[in-house]
Structure formats: structure tokens, C-alpha cells
Amino acid sequence: MLSLIGLVGGLVLLIVLTIRGMNLFIAAPLCALIVALTNHIPMFVGDTNFVETYMSGFTGFIASWFFMFLLGALFGKFMEDTGAADSVARWIIDKLGFKQAVLAVVMACAILTYGGVSLFVVAFSVYPMALSLFKDANLPRRFIPATMAFGSVTFTMTSAGSPEIQNWIPIKYLGTSPFAAWEVSLVVAVFMACFGYWWLKRMIGKAVANGEHFEARETDPEIPERDYPHPITGLIPLLVVLVLSFLLHDALGHMALIVALTGGVLSLMAINFSHFHDLPKAVNLGTTGALVAIGNTAAVVGFGAIAKNTEAFQQTVEIMTHIPGNELIGAAIAVSVIAGLTGSASGGQAIVLPLVGPHYLDRGVEPEELHRIVAISSGALDSLPHNGYVVTTIRAICQETHKAAYGSVAALTVIVPLIGLAMAIALFSIF
């Protein structure tokens, strides 16, 4: 009982402290320590001790993703400093009108995500353009995180055909393909896209009606009017990242992003070198931003590493993977809960699938149906406030607070996917 209280209490405290804006380098290890002490995990000695377990999660994430974060942050800062992001944003506004600024950001994120670009990198890459679009359209900037998250982690990340890891992990355990149950996936994706976009526009419209508007900050880039390059010079580097990531994904996995982002950064520098406003400053800000972003995320990953080594977590996994009744509902609940506890969609799948996969397949569940349910369910409760992508996007990239931005993020990345999940289960039950 103490183990469970410690696990749940530590997670709730982490969520509360995150929402209140406490520094994650303090909040995450502090909450992890509470979990460790209530689960009798020793501080310094033993095969599983607090310091080594927490730091293995922390450093492991940095080792895997450092270059992607660094190159992604530099790419975003270069888009800002050259004026390429502003140029693209103004071109979109001229062609589509101010009312389509939100749609432009959503579509940019969706295209990059479905093209195989990492979610974190999409956020770094699209933010400069999103900031310019929201500024030109005079929309409240606190909705930028929700707009980018909606385009990245809902109707694209877990849909059939997506090259994101959340759609590929089930293949290893179920023997399916990335296009598993594509018919149902298509219906659910279209619903989530339409309903989510309507809800997003409604939230922004209500805020504007209440007098909210875009508020500039001293940290926002100021590029002289004469420095704006042609809009195509901002689109070409984005296409370079998208094409290289798509072509190299199968051969190199997520390492393809290093090549893709390097190509994007180099092409941006080559095309717009004369338009740099302050290159050394852009490099410094990009590097610092990358370190803050990956550090915040790694701090939360460290908490997850401690949580996964507790008795309560193992018991929770055991209970979740043996839920009686409809197998698809059971799988959905299991993946959702574990993804929520770990703050990771891919982590939830990797923990649950080795257990529920063979169990449900032996009971006659269609592999393709199970694949799609597992993928969609992993993308719901994973987006709680302590999720690495949520923390990075809200705090490090958009420089917002959870109090201001997380409500709309939760609506679009937790509630909308849960509705889509229920729809998928219903469709599989009917047909």
C-alpha cells in the first residue's frame, strides 16, 4: 500500500509542481525521491539505487536525443534570425487571410509529423513561423503550444501509415504493418482533425472575444523589414528536412533526423546567409534553448525510470494487462494508464505490449485491430502535464506557463484522442 501511495503521490506532486511552474531540475528528482523512499529503493547502494537509476534515465535520454535537439533548436533560431519564418508567415497570411493562421500552423506540424520528423524537432522548426502567424493575426500566443501539439500528436502521430515510433512499436509484437486497420484509422483521424480544429478555433475565438490579443515580448526576434528574404527560401529548408527524413527513415531510424536536420540547417544558411541579423547570437540562443529543452525532458524521464522500478508500478502493469471483458477495451485501458504513469506514449507501448500482445492474440483478437487500438490509446493520457514533449513545447520552446497554456493542450491532446479511441473501439465492435 505504501508503495502505491508513494507512486501515485509522487506523480500527482510532479503534475502539481509542473503546473505551478517549479523548475523541473528540482521538481522531477524531488518527486522521484519521494517515490524511491516509499518503495524502499536505496539512495546510493545496491543494483537498483536512486542515484544511478534516476541518472541512467536522465543521461540515456540525452545520449539518444542531444543532436536532434541541438540541430532542431538551431534550425528554428536560424529561421527566426534570417527572417525566413516571418517571410513565410506573411506570405501565408497574404494568400489565405488572417483567419487561416491557425490552420497553417496545424497543417505545417501535421505534414512534418506524418513525414517522419520527430515531434520535438517539429516544435522547434514550426514555432518561429507560428509566432509570426499569431503575431500578424493578433491571436493570443498562449494557444501556440496547443496548436502545434494538435497538429503533431493527435490525428497524425498514431494514424495508419505514420512513420512515428508510436505507430511502429506494435509491429514488432503483433506482426502487423504500419497501415494496420487503415480504414478505421482514417475515419478516426478525420474525426479528430475536424473536431479538434473546431474546438481549437472555438477556444481561441472565445479568448479573442474576451479581449485577449497577441502580446509581444522583449525576447521576440526583431527583424528589420528590409531583411525579409523571399518566402520560398524559408520553405526549401523545411522540405529538405522532410524529404531527407522520409527517405532515410527506414535505413537509419530516428538517426535519420541528424542527417535531415543537418541538411536543413546547411541549406538555410546557404540560401539566406546574407539575411542573418546576428548569427553568433542565434547560435548561442539556439544552443542554450536546446540544452534547457532536453534537460527539462530528461529530468522527467529520470522520474519515469524510478517509477518503473517500483513494486507498485509492476503490480499496476500486472493488473492493467489482465483486465477482464472486451479485449480491445482492456488493451486500451492498460496502455493509457501506463503511458500516463510514464508520461510517454512509446514507453507505455513498450511496457505493455510484450505482456498483452501474446495474451490477446491467443484469445483470438485481430492483430490489426489491436495494433490500432494500442497506437491510438498511447497518444492520450501520455500528454499529462509531466510529459516530456508537453514540458518542452510549453516551457522551453514557447516560453509559456502550464497555467496559461496547458488547458487547451489537454483538451486537444488528451480529450480528443480519448474520444477518437472510443470511436475506434466502437467501429471495431460493429464491423
Side-chain angles (χ1 to χ4, degrees), residues 80-84 86 221-229 275 277:
E80 280 184 2
D81 197 69
T82 59
D86 278 343
E222 295 183 7
I223 311 299
E225 194 76 29
R226 58 184 172 83
D227 282 348
Y228 286 136
H275 290 280
H277 189 57

Side-chain angles (χ1 to χ4, degrees), residues 121-145:
V121 174
V122 171
F124 277 118
S125 302
V126 176
Y127 174 68
M129 186 183 74
L131 183 66
S132 295
L133 285 167
F134 271 63
K135 179 180 179 181
D136 290 342
N138 197 27
L139 300 176
R141 63 192 300 160
R142 69 184 180 93
F143 289 100
I144 294 179

Side-chain angles (χ1 to χ4, degrees), residues 244-269:
L244 287 178
S245 175
F246 181 79
L247 293 177
L248 300 175
H249 183 274
D250 289 343
L252 300 179
H254 76 278
M255 291 295 179
L257 285 172
I258 296 178
V259 180
L261 286 168
T262 300
V265 169
L266 293 178
S267 62
L268 181 57
M269 292 183 68

Side-chain angles (χ1 to χ4, degrees), residues 77 131 141 214-222 281 285 399:
K77 281 299 174 185
L131 183 66
R141 63 192 300 160
F214 186 89
E215 295 181 358
R217 297 173 182 165
E218 294 182 358
T219 54
D220 292 342
E222 295 183 7
K281 183 179 179 180
L285 289 175
Q399 297 180 20

Side-chain angles (χ1 to χ4, degrees), residues 137-322:
N138 197 27
L139 300 176
R141 63 192 300 160
R142 69 184 180 93
F143 289 100
I144 294 179
T147 304
M148 295 198 303
F150 173 60
S152 300
V153 303
T154 55
F155 61 93
T156 53
M157 182 181 78
T158 60
S159 296
S162 172
E164 298 295 335
I165 190 172
Q166 291 80 4
N167 184 48
W168 282 68
I169 290 178
I171 297 174
K172 174 182 177 181
Y173 301 98
L174 304 177
T176 49
S177 77
F179 296 93
W182 68 267
E183 300 92 344
V184 168
S185 177
L186 179 61
V187 173
V188 173
V190 170
F191 166 78
M192 287 198 291
C194 295
F195 176 69
Y197 181 69
W198 170 82
W199 198 358
L200 175 60
K201 290 284 288 183
R202 187 173 184 273
M203 288 188 288
I204 295 176
K206 185 177 180 180
V208 171
N210 289 334
E212 291 190 48
H213 56 86
F214 186 89
E215 295 181 358
R217 297 173 182 165
E218 294 182 358
T219 54
D220 292 342
E222 295 183 7
I223 311 299
E225 194 76 29
R226 58 184 172 83
D227 282 348
Y228 286 136
H230 192 280
I232 194 67
T233 64
L235 294 175
I236 290 176
L238 284 170
L239 289 174
V240 169
V241 174
L242 181 62
V243 171
L244 287 178
S245 175
F246 181 79
L247 293 177
L248 300 175
H249 183 274
D250 289 343
L252 300 179
H254 76 278
M255 291 295 179
L257 285 172
I258 296 178
V259 180
L261 286 168
T262 300
V265 169
L266 293 178
S267 62
L268 181 57
M269 292 183 68
I271 297 171
N272 284 328
F273 191 81
S274 62
H275 290 280
F276 270 105
H277 189 57
D278 191 340
L279 179 57
K281 183 179 179 180
V283 172
N284 289 336
L285 289 175
T287 303
T288 302
L291 291 175
V292 172
I294 197 170
N296 282 333
T297 307
V300 177
V301 173
F303 173 86
I306 293 294
K308 285 189 288 186
N309 280 278
T310 63
E311 180 182 348
F313 185 87
Q314 300 305 323
Q315 291 176 346
T316 301
V317 173
E318 183 68 20
I319 294 172
M320 288 297 103
T321 53
H322 290 84

